[in-house]
Amino acid sequence: MQLEKYSFGLGDRFGRQGKAQLQALLAAKADGVNIVPVWNKSHREHTIMGTRPEQTYKAAEEAVKTLGWQDSFYVDADHIQITNVDLFIASSNFFTIDIADSIGRNAEDDKINDFLEKFSKYLGSLTIPGIDEPLNVNENQLSSIAHKYLKAIEEAGSIYRHIQSVKGKDNFITEVSIDETDTPQTPAELFFILAAIADQDIPAQTIAPKFTGSFLKGIDYIGDIEQFAKEFEQHLAIISFAVKEFGLPENLKLSIHSGSDKFSLYKPINKALKKYDAGLHIKTAGTTWLEELTALASADGEGLSIARRIYVDAYSRFDELCAPYSSVIDIAKERLPSPSAVGKWSSDDFVSAVRHNPSCSQYNVNVRQLLHLAYKIAAEMGAEFTNALEQYQEHISPAVTENIYQRHIKPLFIEQD
Ligand SMILES: [Zn+2]
């Protein structure tokens, strides 16, 4: 199983927008750009929603069948660890092995020594095509990289082998994710992480490093765009060098866990992908749920009243909703409008506050982040909410397609400078 050059991670919390999402990829295909869908849902999302991975697979399969999608499609066991991978094995063909929790745990001394010996030939000045300055790693630095990451990569190896023992070799895609950690990896760290991945015989096809800046849920990138662009290009250069050097899968590519809607990064990413003729996996999730909610709100009547109620409940359960996402949100509670104010909002007021449009004075990143978390409230509404999704599907479906195609795919993969 070989992941295509461009793949798009889609989240569909309520399992009803698969067709609308796929329409966006069909639109890209009509433009001559092939992008395959990867439906991702993490253990955290399943737990909050009360859903199971089989449902994600079924919804994906149904969308693909209904639209006659001919290319591959994938279901991503997103951010799995050894403790929950078994729940996902039967109904996933893409596994994002998250080893962030093991970063910094020390491997055994003899394993570290073996690693240092094996890769000491890369010490000193090492020229990587595409990076101006040669890497310059000394023995101490390599040792601290090994102490920081080797144990975590060993952990990835054992999770990989566990999945392989059930699914069989080459029957799934492996991603290694180290994005949910404190500090971005340097080019040298990424290089030796890839060495360790190859040494563990993990046929990783995507790798998700942590980049500089903040990737908060549902809102734009916060950070130094130029620095991001520089890191992104350096990582592309490291990957293409490491693939040859360590015999990793030739299609190994970067995976960006975007948290959705990092619009200001799309242009530099597009430019870099063209420059290096590189592939990309872009992971989004909550952006579709927010389209469902804004489309409901825009539909006046009952749709608007459900959207308002979701806000009011989310506001009153602020701490509880924020807890599982504390490291990936930054909500200024005092900037949230009061429930009584939102109770009087028109459709336009609601949509303007939530829609990701920085030039709109009513757009409120705090409201958008809070509502990103509020899918839990909608899930608890049960049939009332899912019936509303059915009832307003005519509004929702085009909004979901347009969001993925116009706002994500076009700037990332299609638009020329
Ligand atoms: Zn992630």
Side-chain angles (χ1 to χ4, degrees):
M1 198 175 272
Q2 212 185 2
L3 186 61
E4 289 77 355
K5 185 174 184 181
Y6 299 145
S7 45
F8 202 104
L10 299 157
D12 184 13
R13 311 241 199 258
F14 293 88
R16 275 148 212 270
Q17 307 307 336
K19 293 190 279 293
Q21 293 171 326
L22 205 50
Q23 292 284 10
L25 303 191
L26 285 166
K29 196 182 253 308
D31 292 330
V33 178
N34 285 317
I35 308 165
V36 293
V38 181
W39 278 280
N40 42 250
K41 202 168 190 177
S42 64
H43 188 54
R44 175 170 63 191
E45 283 175 272
H46 280 297
T47 309
I48 289 172
M49 290 291 306
T51 51
R52 294 183 316 277
E54 306 87 272
Q55 293 166 287
T56 312
Y57 191 86
K58 265 209 174 118
E61 196 179 38
E62 200 215 301
V64 162
K65 272 193 185 149
T66 313
L67 293 189
W69 178 258
Q70 300 293 320
D71 298 337
S72 335
F73 73 99
Y74 303 90
V75 175
D76 177 5
D78 197 9
H79 283 286
I80 47 100
Q81 297 177 321
I82 196 68
T83 49
N84 51 34
V85 60
D86 285 330
L87 298 168
F88 290 85
I89 288 191
S91 43
S92 309
N93 55 2
F94 187 123
F95 292 81
T96 298
I97 302 178
D98 181 343
I99 48 167
D101 286 352
S102 301
I103 294 173
R105 281 170 53 205
N106 284 349
E108 288 157 35
D109 282 345
D110 56 341
K111 296 216 167 123
I112 288 186
N113 291 335
D114 287 350
F115 183 82
L116 296 182
E117 201 170 307
K118 192 160 177 185
F119 296 104
S120 62
K121 63 174 173 175
Y122 297 107
L123 293 176
S125 178
L126 177 66
T127 303
I128 310 271
I131 301 185
D132 298 340
E133 294 274 295
L135 296 189
N136 225 318
V137 177
N138 64 32
E139 214 175 313
N140 282 339
Q141 288 164 326
L142 182 57
S143 168
S144 61
I145 292 173
H147 277 94
K148 189 170 178 189
Y149 289 105
L150 201 55
K151 180 77 186 171
I153 306 296
E154 278 176 16
E155 173 78 12
S158 55
I159 298 172
Y160 166 75
R161 286 185 292 276
H162 177 69
I163 301 166
Q164 191 210 66
S165 72
V166 182
K167 293 197 84 75
K169 201 177 183 327
D170 298 331
N171 291 329
F172 60 98
I173 309 290
T174 305
E175 166 163 328
V176 176
S177 92
I178 42 176
D179 65 311
E180 296 199 355
T181 184
D182 300 336
T183 43
Q185 289 86 27
T186 62
E189 283 177 322
L190 183 65
F191 179 72
F192 288 106
I193 286 168
L194 291 173
I197 288 174
D199 206 34
Q200 281 283 327
D201 272 329
I202 305 169
Q205 297 188 42
T206 58
I207 173 126
K210 178 176 176 66
F211 288 97
T212 194
S214 291
F215 288 73
L216 302 175
K217 293 289 181 191
I219 61 168
D220 207 346
Y221 177 72
I222 301 169
D224 183 339
I225 296 173
E226 263 177 50
Q227 176 61 24
F228 168 86
K230 187 179 165 198
E231 272 177 26
F232 186 82
E233 291 200 17
Q234 286 175 334
H235 284 349
L236 292 181
I238 292 285
I239 286 174
S240 105
F241 184 73
V243 161
K244 295 184 199 97
E245 210 57 29
F246 306 130
L248 285 159
E250 283 193 16
N251 61 336
L252 174 63
K253 59 181 178 175
L254 282 173
S255 167
I256 298 199
H257 291 203
S258 72
S260 301
D261 308 335
K262 299 301 169 283
F263 298 129
S264 61
L265 301 181
Y266 286 179
K267 208 173 177 177
I269 291 175
N270 177 323
K271 213 172 126 198
L273 295 180
K274 292 198 170 107
K275 182 170 160 190
Y276 289 88
D277 190 24
L280 180 73
H281 181 54
I282 178 94
K283 217 177 268 209
T284 68
T287 193
T288 287
W289 142 251
L290 285 166
E291 286 305 316
E292 288 176 319
L293 189 62
T294 35
L296 282 180
S298 72
D300 232 340
E302 211 200 331
L304 175 62
S305 108
I306 288 180
R308 283 189 197 139
R309 252 172 59 210
I310 289 173
Y311 179 84
V312 170
D313 285 1
Y315 187 92
S316 70
R317 291 165 61 182
F318 182 85
D319 293 337
E320 172 207 339
L321 295 185
C322 291
Y325 286 94
S326 58
S327 61
V328 280
I329 50 165
D330 186 8
I331 304 176
K333 202 176 173 189
E334 67 283 3
R335 302 250 168 98
L336 289 171
S338 70
S340 64
V342 174
K344 297 186 199 95
W345 273 2
S346 67
S347 283
D348 275 354
D349 293 332
F350 200 107
V351 172
S352 314
V354 182
R355 181 150 289 154
H356 195 146
N357 179 6
S359 64
C360 169
S361 62
Q362 281 173 277
Y363 172 52
N364 184 327
V365 291
N366 304 293
V367 170
R368 188 168 169 89
Q369 287 179 89
L370 178 62
L371 287 172
H372 180 279
L373 309 176
Y375 68 93
K376 182 176 190 182
I377 311 278
E380 286 170 5
M381 290 168 107
E384 190 187 3
F385 184 75
T386 49
N387 289 342
L389 291 181
E390 295 296 324
Q391 189 189 333
Y392 292 100
Q393 191 58 31
E394 273 169 56
H395 293 261
I396 297 170
S397 181
V400 168
T401 305
E402 164 148 336
N403 174 51
I404 301 285
Y405 176 65
Q406 295 288 350
R407 313 188 82 189
H408 294 265
I409 289 178
K410 264 180 121 176
L412 261 174
F413 297 111
I414 294 172
E415 272 162 14
Q416 308 283 341
D417 249 343

